[in-house]
Amino acid sequence: MTEELFREDPTLLECDARVEAVDERGVRLDRTVFYPHGGGQAGDRGQLVLADGGAVAIADTKKGEAPGEIVHVLADPADAARLLPGRPVRARIDAARRRAHMRFHTATHLLCALIPHPVDGCSITQEYARLDFHMTEPLDKDAIEAGLARLVAEAHPVSHRWITDAELDASPQLVRSMSVQPPRGTGRVRLMEIAGVDLQPCGGTHVANTAEIGAVGVRKIEKKSAQTRRVVLEFRD
Ligand SMILES: [Zn+2]
């Protein structure tokens, strides 16, 4: 299993690592700062810097078939020949892309606090974030934007802690998402808390304070189905 440095410190942009395996799907490392696509959040991009100073580009990061497996997808599959198992690399993510993911991801938690309905879809990218809410009532764009601006301005601290699967089972109301269940099987679940605002299991990367989200607004609100309202967020800076 790959050591997931991004879980404890999402501000880490690079780390030393060792190649464990390489195949046509990509590269596996003993530890990484690359977040694999999951929980609605897009995977990181970046590069692996080699001992000779050269670098190979990583186009995406995905979860592998085995639990805890993280696959760094090579932009050019031919680069696999340059990454032999056992070789040291410096893993470095695209900082601007990750920063956007962290800001948007934290903003989606604020949206959950403002719209108290179950979530049945989520996508967080560098350009936008969208959340689908299971609800039939219309949504007020101006009210949502004002709510987001208020929660950002109030500068709420964002933190995480780990609880056991049993503790989560005892508090099912913590699970806001209908489509994405928190990852299980390791015996513990990561709980994200925005003090006084939102509390839910989440494995993604977030900023440390809602003030870091900055200027964010609602690009559009769509009625995706009779039971679903989609909210798309964008940056305003
Ligand atoms: Zn989250």
Side-chain angles (χ1 to χ4, degrees):
M1 251 172 69
T2 308
E3 188 185 349
E4 303 175 337
L5 300 176
F6 51 85
R7 301 271 188 222
E8 293 299 331
D9 186 0
T11 67
L12 275 180
L13 300 179
E14 50 185 89
C15 72
D16 288 318
R18 198 165 287 278
V19 176
E20 290 205 322
V22 190
D23 60 27
E24 66 283 355
R25 295 174 308 143
V27 186
R28 278 174 286 147
L29 304 173
D30 62 343
R31 59 210 296 267
T32 191
V33 291
F34 282 72
Y35 179 86
H37 179 246
Q41 183 178 326
D44 278 315
R45 293 178 189 156
Q47 56 181 3
L48 303 180
V49 181
L50 311 179
D52 65 8
V56 300
I58 300 301
D60 196 6
T61 313
K62 298 177 176 176
K63 290 177 181 168
E65 284 157 25
E69 190 178 61
I70 294 176
V71 179
H72 304 76
V73 180
L74 292 166
D76 179 359
D79 279 336
R82 303 168 66 192
L83 289 155
L84 298 177
R87 292 269 175 91
V89 294
R90 183 87 181 156
R92 181 179 295 158
I93 60 170
D94 177 332
R97 176 178 164 91
R98 163 64 76 75
R99 189 74 193 157
H101 292 169
M102 289 164 65
R103 291 174 62 201
F104 269 141
H105 193 136
T106 312
T108 64
H109 284 255
L110 300 186
L111 211 50
C112 284
L114 294 168
I115 304 172
H117 292 277
V119 173
D120 64 6
C122 173
S123 181
I124 294 156
T125 74
Q126 190 169 0
E127 291 79 27
Y128 67 87
R130 65 167 172 77
L131 271 188
D132 295 338
F133 292 93
H134 186 78
M135 60 187 294
T136 54
E137 302 87 333
L139 286 167
D140 182 335
K141 179 179 171 180
D142 291 340
I144 294 171
E145 291 201 334
L148 288 170
R150 173 177 58 82
L151 291 169
V152 169
E154 286 172 352
H156 297 275
V158 180
S159 62
H160 75 271
R161 63 181 186 270
W162 295 90
I163 62 171
T164 64
D165 286 355
E167 286 173 292
L168 181 66
D169 290 337
S171 306
Q173 75 280 3
L174 290 176
V175 180
R176 286 293 310 274
S177 173
M178 297 165 71
S179 63
V180 184
Q181 286 293 313
R184 288 184 179 256
T186 59
R188 63 177 196 163
V189 172
R190 190 163 174 270
L191 209 54
M192 288 305 307
E193 178 165 28
I194 301 177
V197 177
D198 184 61
L199 177 68
Q200 60 178 302
C202 183
T205 61
H206 311 78
V207 292
N209 189 292
T210 60
E212 294 179 47
I213 295 170
V216 64
V218 176
R219 178 180 294 175
K220 59 183 173 181
I221 295 172
E222 294 175 297
K223 183 177 176 180
K224 286 300 288 180
S225 74
Q227 304 281 340
T228 305
R229 299 292 178 275
R230 169 170 290 181
V231 181
V232 182
L233 300 179
E234 65 182 6
F235 292 134
R236 295 279 168 81
D237 51 18

